[in-house]
Amino acid sequence: MNVYGSNELARDVQQAGYCIGCGACVELCPYFRNHRGHTARLFACSLEQGRCHAHCPKTEVDLEELSSALYGEKYEGTPLGHYRSILAARATGKVAGPFQGGGTVSALATYALESKLIDAAILTGADGMRPVPQIVTDPDKVARCGSSRFTAAPTLSVMNQAVRQGMRRLGVVGTPCQMTAVAQMKQNPLGIEDFEDPVALTIGLFCNWALEHKQLAAYLANHLDLDSITGMDIPPPPAAVMVVKTHDTEHQFPLEEIRPLIPLSCFICPDMTSEWADVSVGMYEGRPGWNTLIVRSEAGAELVEGAVSNGWIETEAFPGDRLQELAKAALAKKERSFRNANRRGLLQEGENGARPAMKVPQEVLDRLLA
Amino acid sequence: MQTVRDGKAGDVRLMQGNEALARGALEAGVSVAAGYPGTPSSEIIENLAKAAKDSDLYVEFSTNEKVALEVAASGSFAELRSLAVMKQVGVNVAADFLLHLVLYGTRGGMVLASCEDPGGLSSTNEGDSRHYAKMMEFPLLEPGDFQEAKDMMRWAFELSEEIRNLVMVRSVTRLSHASGRVGLGNLPEKKERAHLNVEGPPIGQMEGPIGALPVTLNFMHGRQQGKMRKAAEIFEDSPYNTYTGPDNPELLIVTSSSAWLYCTEAVDLLNAGDRVGILKLGCTYPLPPKLVTKHLSTTDKVFIVEELLPFLEDNVKTLAAEMGAALGHKTFYGKKDGSLPSTGELNPDVVMGGLAKILDIEPDASLAKYSEELEQVVGQSVVARSLTFCAGCPHRASFWSLHNALELDGRYGFMCGDIGCYTMGISPAGFGTLKSVHAMGSGIGLASGFGQLGQFGLDRPVLAACGDSTFFHAAVPALINAVHHNAKLVMVVLDNSGTGMTGFQPHPGLTYDAMGKQATPVDVAKVCRAIGASVTISDPFDVKGTTDTLLDLLEQDSGVRVLILRQMCALSPEKKLKKMYEVAVDQSICLGEACGCNRLCTRVFKCPALIWDASAGKALVDEVLCAGCGVCASICPSGAITRKEVA
């Protein structure tokens, strides 16, 4: 990967409208800050290379490099990425709900803290409808973050904060873009000699798209009191609605009204299942109360084995027909996003040295876009 | 304390031009003086205020220049001698009343002193208020040196009483702010009493109601023009119009004000004294026709030397055309033919350039090198530094928070500003936060308009900035407008408890007046609330609190929200040299070049007291420059800047 500085980052990502506000560049220096979902660069910096640029999941992401570093293999563009096993999973009663899905993420994160696999968990809670990143060290407080607001959150800003405070052995729960950023960080792209990988475990979430907090807030404010929001959900097709729960009632908003709020950034993201995480967790369509669990790395396998044997989660085999459906959806996102990014000239290096958002092996691209 | 009162007739003192002007007014027995601070005019009122206690004199800094002219006019109407003082842009503010005033005329001698700033040394414009004399028909005097500044000011009151109208005395920066020898005259033994006669029919000059009505207008306008004819007659014999040079010069220079000094020097440097004559006019409007015609008849070539617009040039040409049958054809040099620039200050070099070309002389080559050498010498001894706020200035802290809040908000909010130290908010010193700068109060006026453009798709948050003095001067009507029309904006009052830029003159928000007497303070917050705006007050030195407050105000996104950022100017007399904190950089914590902050403190925040210790490669606080505000301690990401409260 080519690493540039904050000026290139500001130009290629923020100003070009591809910033998703994941927080990877925030809290590394005084210049990048996130306010209510919007990542701002306060002042220009004159350093030629910076971690802000190196970690950003929206510029100079070299998929081949990531694949070889994490899994020691070529990037093939398979629908679900590298994995060891795929399971159906759900939390046992050991961790208290209610959960958005099967509670698998909350159970895994709690177990990781309890068993000292990690010292702190980087999670995303919510204040009303606003996602609020948190550093959680108390296993009992993990489950409070167990719900989605479907808006991009600057979760990684608190990861950077934790690292600055000297914390290590972090567990990070995040979306595919955030997992990409962490995976890039793990490569120590600036080659600092005494660099120590602060992240011991990553739990990726499935994600098709996220919304911008301010835009969604502006939309919902026309229909309800934002402070009364207690939960949000997007039930599986064919529902085609976003459900917003408040203290006393439940509102349904057609997805066709929500979709225009999806930021540009999500349309160039090829990853639905957090391919660069140790484990990935998502909904299990058609089986409420259960999750899909993808085990990808050795650390991920250890985590899942420990969580099962210690009774935090239970697992079952994931049926082949569901797997096919999942792979189909993931592939569709991959193809769509590569196509979009390609059309915008964001793949590979441009003719006159233009910096790409992603680098994809040409044969993979040719195959997928054929 | 020495004041401009000190010294008796015959004494010679070194005086600043503005001191000389103030002394002239005292010698004339002025009773009422009012002005609004503005460089280069401010010292006239300040010097009179200092002398007020012993002089049977009322002096004030008024809310704005129009009010100052009105306050001064009340003195004249009560048959007292009165003076109004302002800078060039102030005359624009006062112009509305000025037109009415000069149409009716004055009773006690009344002078308007306008101190102007060719080249904009301390201004955002180089307005030329001489044109008001022609546009509104009143006499204009332009002193050429320090002695004349005093003498002509004194004489202006006599002239005003002779014609019963206002007389303008115009100075420029190089006269107002430079110093020279001035021979003093007597101060009158006086105890003037006000005498107001407003009874009787409305056409009397010295009695009856004051002012014109539609039915009396025609009469009064005619009377005003009669006064101008009388002034022109008086000017024919004025000792302030002088000629030096041969009887029949090859070239006649017609000049006025400090341009006269440049002409004298230029002629001297070119050794052209036997070829060039200089007609220096102290009375520049209306022109004394006989005097000017007499001198025009001595030559065929005329060079008119003045700063800024061709005011004198146009008037002399008009006169030459009127007298064309007797005078014949003349060749004129000046602004119109490009012999002189119409912008910026003149100086001997510029005049010499024009003169040498007209006379076809090759100037001594060593003279051209002079300015180069001067620049070299100056460049070696003075460190190049961009315009910036002083160490400890609350504006730097305010703009820091404003800039950051606007960036964090992320909706491309922009701020309209106006005139004051905070004008620098448009530059890197204020992090480029201001996006417009015009007249005093124009920030809020423009914002009031921008705040209505949502219907045309302008959905960027709109902010306005004004100082505390500016708030009273011109922001209030615009704020009322914004509230009344439900404009969507945030108005930030940068309240540093004084008219900071011009040197701490009082304003209506303070508890004392120009003479040091107790005054009733008018509360900005209460005024804003009464107008109907929401008001929040924050200390700009609390960077986090101020930024959060701004973010909340921005997010409210409706109505007029006023934020008062209140913190006394670092240079204010009450605060000067008193540090709140001892501030230091702990270089064992400062990461220096290695910090990811890329020198946030010295590259971006850039307080002059925060310096780069090149030998250590780390930041350092210059204890001498540091005003002890402690703001930098809250910006260092490593916490290397420490502050300790001073007991």
Side-chain angles (χ1 to χ4, degrees):
Chain A
M1 116 184 49
N2 293 319
V3 179
Y4 297 94
S6 84
N7 294 325
E8 287 79 6
L9 181 61
R11 205 156 40 238
D12 297 348
V13 180
Q14 266 93 8
Q15 285 157 24
Y18 295 115
C19 177
I20 188 65
C22 71
C25 58
V26 177
E27 295 283 344
L28 293 168
C29 74
Y31 303 112
F32 284 97
R33 298 256 306 272
N34 189 287
H35 175 66
R36 306 205 161 163
H38 165 71
T39 295
R41 188 177 67 142
L42 299 184
F43 294 99
C45 166
S46 62
L47 298 179
E48 283 172 10
Q49 287 194 313
R51 290 174 295 170
C52 54
H53 187 278
H55 300 176
C56 176
K58 295 295 171 183
T59 185
E60 291 278 358
V61 176
D62 190 324
L63 297 175
E64 179 85 336
E65 230 174 67
L66 282 181
S67 184
S68 111
L70 264 65
Y71 307 123
E73 61 183 37
K74 287 170 87 70
Y75 181 77
E76 299 286 0
T78 53
L80 302 172
H82 171 99
Y83 65 88
R84 295 170 170 234
S85 59
I86 299 189
L87 302 163
R90 68 172 175 186
T92 60
K94 215 167 167 177
V95 52
F99 302 111
Q100 196 94 27
T104 306
V105 174
S106 297
L108 288 175
T110 308
Y111 162 67
L113 275 173
E114 283 275 2
S115 61
K116 310 282 183 209
L117 284 173
I118 56 173
D119 291 342
I122 306 300
L123 308 173
T124 309
D127 172 10
M129 68 159 292
R130 192 158 57 85
V132 181
Q134 281 166 15
I135 304 170
V136 177
T137 50
D138 179 352
D140 293 340
K141 290 186 175 155
V142 169
R144 290 185 197 172
C145 299
S147 65
S148 176
R149 289 295 178 265
F150 298 93
T151 52
T155 312
L156 298 184
S157 65
V158 302
M159 176 189 78
N160 292 333
Q161 214 172 53
V163 173
R164 230 180 43 208
Q165 288 164 13
M167 297 174 110
R168 294 295 181 269
R169 292 177 17 101
L170 302 172
V172 184
V173 177
T175 50
C177 47
Q178 289 167 336
M179 293 300 108
T180 306
V182 174
Q184 294 195 107
M185 183 189 75
K186 283 169 167 284
Q187 309 314 304
N188 188 12
L190 284 180
I192 299 165
E193 264 182 48
D194 59 353
F195 185 86
E196 187 189 342
D197 180 3
V199 176
L201 185 69
T202 50
I203 301 176
L205 305 170
F206 290 8
C207 176
N208 252 322
W209 39 260
L211 299 168
E212 275 173 355
H213 166 72
K214 277 190 183 176
Q215 289 213 29
L216 180 61
Y219 170 81
L220 292 180
N222 293 328
H223 305 279
L224 49 86
D225 174 13
L226 298 181
D227 292 334
S228 68
I229 295 176
T230 56
M232 295 165 75
D233 197 12
I234 298 180
V241 290
M242 174 183 265
V243 177
V244 179
K245 293 173 193 131
T246 61
H247 293 308
D248 45 8
T249 178
E250 198 177 282
H251 300 255
Q252 292 202 348
F253 301 101
L255 280 186
E256 62 193 44
E257 282 185 26
I258 302 290
R259 278 208 185 87
L261 307 178
I262 301 171
L264 191 52
S265 186
C266 294
F267 293 110
I268 60 160
C269 170
D271 186 358
M272 189 186 93
T273 58
S274 283
E275 295 175 28
W276 312 112
D278 291 318
V279 295
S280 304
V281 182
M283 298 304 284
Y284 186 142
E285 284 189 9
R287 196 172 175 192
W290 282 78
N291 288 112
T292 305
L293 171 62
I294 306 181
V295 183
R296 300 186 185 277
S297 70
E298 201 180 320
E302 278 171 28
L303 171 75
V304 171
E305 277 162 29
V308 171
S309 60
N310 287 285
W312 289 88
I313 59 168
E314 57 181 298
T315 60
E316 286 180 9
F318 196 69
D321 58 330
R322 299 309 324 166
L323 181 60
Q324 270 183 13
E325 287 297 315
L326 184 68
K328 201 175 136 195
L331 183 64
K333 179 174 183 186
K334 199 159 261 145
E335 285 174 355
R336 187 177 62 228
S337 296
F338 280 145
R339 194 162 277 122
N340 275 330
N342 197 38
R343 203 175 52 230
R344 291 170 174 272
L346 297 169
L347 292 182
Q348 329 303 33
E349 244 146 42
E351 279 163 16
N352 31 27
R355 295 176 291 269
M358 276 177 290
K359 273 190 240 173
V360 192
Q362 195 57 46
E363 63 274 13
V364 172
L365 202 58
D366 291 344
R367 173 159 43 82
L368 288 175
L369 301 189
Chain B
M1 183 179 59
Q2 197 180 38
T3 73
V4 287
R5 266 189 68 79
D6 298 319
K8 56 186 189 306
D11 287 357
V12 175
R13 274 183 64 182
L14 179 69
M15 287 186 132
Q16 191 198 48
N18 280 346
E19 289 177 320
L21 290 164
R23 172 77 187 195
L26 283 182
E27 289 183 8
V30 70
S31 295
V32 176
Y36 185 82
T39 312
S41 75
S42 314
E43 297 84 0
I44 298 175
I45 290 292
E46 283 180 338
N47 278 297
L48 289 172
K50 280 182 206 157
K53 193 157 65 88
D54 303 318
S55 304
D56 187 24
L57 180 61
Y58 174 77
V59 187
E60 72 169 43
F61 274 119
S62 310
T63 304
N64 66 31
E65 292 85 351
K66 177 169 175 278
V67 177
L69 191 67
E70 287 154 355
V71 167
S74 75
S76 167
F77 296 148
E79 298 185 31
L80 300 166
R81 287 190 169 179
S82 70
L83 174 66
V85 182
M86 53 202 67
K87 73 181 290 182
Q88 76 273 6
V89 278
V91 182
N92 300 334
V93 176
D96 196 3
F97 176 65
L98 184 58
L99 179 69
H100 294 262
L101 175 65
V102 294
L103 174 62
Y104 173 81
T106 54
R107 292 182 181 176
M110 181 169 178
V111 175
L112 166 59
S114 173
C115 302
E116 318 204 342
D117 192 13
L121 297 160
S122 329
S123 308
T124 54
N125 65 82
E126 48 178 2
D128 186 343
S129 71
R130 294 178 300 169
H131 296 265
Y132 280 106
K134 189 171 184 176
M135 185 164 83
M136 298 186 177
E137 300 168 275
F138 56 84
L140 170 68
L141 304 181
E142 295 185 72
D145 64 14
F146 307 96
Q147 185 68 51
E148 280 194 355
K150 185 198 70 84
D151 293 344
M152 289 178 78
M153 175 61 96
R154 179 179 178 152
W155 177 60
F157 285 92
E158 290 163 26
L159 175 65
S160 170
E161 275 171 18
E162 203 160 338
I163 63 167
R164 297 292 177 202
N165 210 353
L166 175 120
V167 173
M168 179 189 267
V169 174
R170 181 210 186 225
S171 175
V172 292
T173 305
R174 301 299 177 185
L175 179 61
S176 278
H177 276 180
S179 297
R181 285 159 56 89
V182 178
L184 303 184
N186 276 321
L187 293 177
E189 291 288 330
K190 71 178 190 88
K191 270 283 172 209
E192 300 290 343
R193 305 303 299 159
H195 182 251
L196 181 64
N197 185 347
V198 286
E199 279 63 53
I203 53 166
Q205 183 68 72
M206 298 302 287
E207 69 282 315
I210 309 155
L213 297 168
V215 288
T216 59
L217 185 151
N218 207 21
F219 161 75
M220 284 185 185
H221 201 175
R223 184 171 75 184
Q224 183 188 11
Q225 288 172 353
K227 293 172 182 178
M228 289 300 274
R229 285 191 292 276
K230 190 168 174 190
E233 267 172 44
I234 295 169
F235 287 173
E236 295 285 6
D237 303 318
S238 165
Y240 303 115
N241 304 323
T242 58
Y243 176 78
T244 48
D247 290 344
N248 287 294
E250 185 185 328
L251 177 75
L252 174 71
I253 290 179
V254 183
T255 186
S256 65
S257 190
S258 52
W260 167 44
L261 303 176
Y262 309 145
C263 292
T264 309
E265 203 171 330
V267 170
D268 195 42
L269 287 169
L270 289 175
N271 261 329
D274 52 344
R275 298 172 64 187
V276 179
I278 301 177
L279 175 63
K280 177 273 203 185
L281 295 174
C283 312
T284 43
Y285 198 82
L287 284 178
K290 287 182 203 141
L291 177 79
V292 176
T293 308
K294 184 183 89 185
H295 286 285
L296 290 179
S297 70
T298 63
T299 183
D300 292 331
K301 293 202 280 188
V302 183
F303 183 24
I304 296 153
V305 181
E306 63 192 314
E307 287 177 317
L308 304 179
L309 301 176
F311 176 77
L312 192 56
E313 182 174 335
D314 285 352
N315 294 337
V316 170
K317 283 177 177 170
T318 304
L319 184 67
E322 286 164 5
M323 308 302 284
L327 283 175
H329 176 74
K330 304 285 172 198
T331 305
F332 286 98
Y333 304 92
K335 310 282 184 189
K336 296 266 173 91
D337 75 320
S339 293
L340 292 175
S342 297
T343 61
E345 282 192 300
L346 292 183
N347 59 36
D349 282 348
V350 175
V351 175
M352 193 165 61
L355 194 56
K357 215 165 143 191
I358 297 165
L359 295 176
D360 198 18
I361 302 176
E362 197 64 50
D364 183 350
S366 66
L367 293 171
K369 275 172 127 180
Y370 176 75
S371 36
E372 271 174 46
E373 283 170 12
L374 182 72
E375 251 171 57
Q376 267 190 351
V377 172
V378 171
Q380 280 164 7
S381 53
V382 179
V383 180
R385 198 188 76 180
S386 53
L387 269 179
T388 191
F389 296 114
C390 307
C393 178
H395 293 332
R396 178 182 290 103
S398 294
F399 281 122
W400 182 264
S401 296
L402 280 160
H403 169 273
N404 289 354
L406 287 173
E407 292 292 335
L408 289 172
D409 179 74
R411 290 176 294 161
Y412 301 96
F414 65 100
M415 191 161 205
C416 304
D418 55 38
I419 309 295
C421 288
Y422 54 92
T423 300
M424 278 190 290
I426 206 166
S427 74
F431 319 109
T433 310
L434 291 183
K435 299 301 181 196
S436 82
V437 167
H438 298 87
M440 291 181 69
S442 294
I444 171 72
L446 279 172
S448 175
F450 281 127
Q452 298 291 355
L453 302 186
Q455 74 178 90
F456 305 107
L458 187 75
D459 51 8
R460 299 167 64 171
V462 182
L463 292 87
C466 76
D468 40 342
S469 193
T470 304
F471 175 80
F472 297 108
H473 178 287
V476 172
L479 177 64
I480 291 171
N481 190 68
V483 168
H484 176 63
H485 292 102
N486 302 315
K488 209 163 76 166
L489 62 91
V490 176
M491 176 183 179
V492 180
V493 182
L494 300 161
D495 181 356
N496 59 2
S497 304
T499 317
M501 194 182 198
T502 47
F504 291 96
Q505 295 78 11
H507 65 61
L510 305 181
T511 54
Y512 53 90
D513 67 11
M515 296 184 291
K517 291 183 181 160
Q518 195 169 2
T520 307
V522 178
D523 187 334
V524 175
K526 281 185 186 164
V527 171
C528 294
R529 288 197 183 104
I531 288 170
S534 73
V535 178
T536 315
I537 300 172
S538 182
D539 176 359
F541 285 175
D542 172 10
V543 173
K544 185 172 186 312
T546 299
T547 309
D548 289 347
T549 301
L550 271 161
L551 285 166
D552 286 345
L553 289 174
L554 285 167
E555 202 150 291
Q556 284 173 21
D557 212 26
S558 69
V560 176
R561 293 140 280 162
V562 171
L563 173 64
I564 301 173
L565 292 180
R566 188 172 285 162
Q567 179 59 246
M568 202 177 279
C569 172
L571 297 180
S572 87
E574 291 151 80
K575 199 172 183 182
K576 208 172 183 179
L577 302 177
K578 272 188 244 160
K579 292 186 179 186
M580 283 200 289
Y581 298 99
E582 284 297 338
V583 184
V585 174
D586 184 338
Q587 290 197 341
S588 68
I589 299 175
C590 174
L591 298 173
E593 301 281 11
C595 184
C597 79
N598 191 212
R599 293 174 57 179
L600 178 74
C601 53
T602 55
R603 186 183 61 88
V604 183
F605 186 69
K606 249 183 166 172
C607 171
L610 264 176
I611 53 178
W612 190 247
D613 180 349
S615 59
K618 295 184 176 185
L620 185 70
V621 169
D622 184 326
E623 285 170 41
V624 177
L625 285 180
C626 178
C629 70
V631 172
C632 57
S634 51
I635 64 156
C636 174
S638 301
I641 305 179
T642 60
R643 62 184 206 189
K644 204 173 77 197
E645 213 159 329
V646 175

